[in-house]
Amino acid sequence: QVLLVESGGGLVQPGGSLRLSCLASGSTRPINSMAWHRQAPGKQREIVAGITDGGSTVYADSVKGRFTITMNNAKNAIYLQMNSLKPEDTAVYYCAAITDQLSWGQGTQVTVSS
């Protein structure tokens, strides 16, 4: 099991920016890919963006052009730069990592409101 710790959430006005971080530790196996998911109240958890250890990325249509996912050289941390935030981006954002199993972080709240 991988320990994932997210940070960087908070309250931001529409049009603003936030940068989320997720640090992985404790893995005895290489991390193949990592991703950000989010879950808004009353809705199912959905993938926001993912990145492989080779650097390939994928984005939900709703965030393309606004969010950017990156991974550090040690391949044990990912970041989500979120620009032009909208109220509908409000959710708990979860980090996930895949080794030989799927691990989840505890989540960080992002609230976009004026």
Side-chain angles (χ1 to χ4, degrees):
Q1 194 78 3
V2 180
L3 177 63
L4 301 171
V5 179
E6 302 105 329
S7 60
L11 172 65
V12 64
Q13 292 186 342
S17 298
L18 281 176
R19 185 174 187 254
L20 305 183
S21 300
C22 173
L23 179 63
S25 62
S27 178
T28 59
R29 294 181 179 274
I31 294 175
N32 298 318
S33 63
M34 297 181 73
W36 289 99
H37 291 69
R38 67 185 180 188
Q39 187 166 19
K43 295 188 177 181
Q44 290 188 332
R45 190 173 298 191
E46 62 177 359
I47 187 168
V48 175
I51 187 166
T52 69
D53 57 353
S56 297
T57 58
V58 62
Y59 295 93
D61 288 343
S62 59
V63 307
K64 283 180 181 176
R66 300 188 297 123
F67 291 9
T68 302
I69 187 171
T70 56
M71 178 180 278
N72 69 344
N73 289 336
K75 304 192 189 311
N76 65 349
I78 59 171
Y79 309 93
L80 187 67
Q81 179 65 44
M82 305 185 294
N83 298 327
S84 302
L85 283 161
K86 304 175 181 180
E88 51 264 43
D89 295 317
T90 295
V92 178
Y93 284 69
Y94 296 91
C95 176
I98 295 177
T99 54
D100 58 343
Q101 58 184 318
L102 174 63
S103 301
W104 290 97
Q106 82 288 351
T108 185
Q109 176 70 46
V110 171
T111 302
V112 184
S113 175
S114 56

